């Protein structure tokens, strides 16, 4: 990779892949979450538009944010992704992406979520639906 386009070096403070790519949770309320990421040059493909894996990460992260802020007896539940189906609608070249997730149904052990990612102009660039295996945090 050329200078200035390299990914960051992992640090002990990073909790996982989302932290590594720079995805951050910015708002949560019961069954809803918002996440964002600044598009750095190393997150783009050769076109250069944002790499699909970055968008998928943000879709998954948005669902996770919605999951971990449940309501009532569901509070404190976390989950691991069982399935994630996504549709890409358009590319994004730079700036910031925002992901919004919503938990649409929770059972005792499985939850279903939906999310979408918007570019900084508010245009939806991708949508997803996902299922998660729930466990106590």
């Amino acid at each position: 990779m050329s200078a200035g386009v390299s990914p960051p070096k992992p640090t002990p403070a990073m909790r996982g892949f989302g932290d590594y790519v720079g995805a951050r949770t910015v708002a949560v309320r019961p069954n809803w979450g918002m996440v964002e990421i600044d598009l750095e040059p190393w997150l783009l493909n050769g076109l250069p538009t944002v790499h699909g894996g970055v968008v998928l990460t943000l879709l998954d992260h948005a669902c996770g944010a919605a999951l971990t802020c449940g309501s009532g007896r569901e509070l404190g539940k976390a989950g691991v992704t069982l399935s994630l189906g996504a549709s890409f609608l358009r590319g994004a070249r730079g700036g910031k992406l925002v992901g919004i997730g919503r938990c649409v149904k929770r059972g005792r052990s499985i939850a279903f979520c939906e999310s979408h990612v918007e570019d900084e102009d508010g245009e939806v660039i991708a949508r997803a639906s996902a299922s998660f295996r729930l466990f106590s945090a």
Side-chain angles (χ1 to χ4, degrees):
M1 289 189 169
S2 62
V5 183
S6 298
K9 298 279 187 234
T11 69
M14 290 180 178
R15 296 179 309 143
F17 187 71
D19 284 355
Y20 179 72
V21 297
R24 56 200 176 273
T25 302
V26 295
V28 291
R29 61 180 188 247
N31 300 311
W32 183 91
M34 178 185 286
V35 299
E36 64 183 22
I37 190 170
D38 296 317
L39 289 180
E40 303 293 339
W42 69 277
L43 297 174
L44 305 178
N45 59 28
L47 294 178
T49 60
V50 63
H51 189 280
V54 174
V55 176
L56 288 170
T57 297
L58 206 55
L59 290 163
D60 187 58
H61 194 116
C63 287
L67 260 184
T68 57
C69 188
S71 58
R73 63 180 163 71
E74 301 153 344
L75 196 57
K77 292 271 188 171
V80 293
T81 309
L82 293 174
S83 67
L84 177 75
S87 296
F88 295 90
L89 307 174
R90 61 178 45 88
R93 296 186 177 277
K96 184 184 296 188
L97 295 181
V98 174
I100 298 173
R102 183 173 67 95
C103 184
V104 295
K105 173 75 172 147
R106 285 176 194 263
R108 279 183 273 164
S109 61
I110 305 291
F112 299 92
C113 297
E114 297 174 343
S115 61
H116 71 273
V117 171
E118 301 174 358
D119 64 16
E120 58 185 10
D121 295 326
E123 295 287 331
V124 176
I125 67 163
R127 294 187 179 280
S129 60
S131 60
F132 293 83
R133 172 76 166 101
L134 298 175
F135 59 93
S136 295

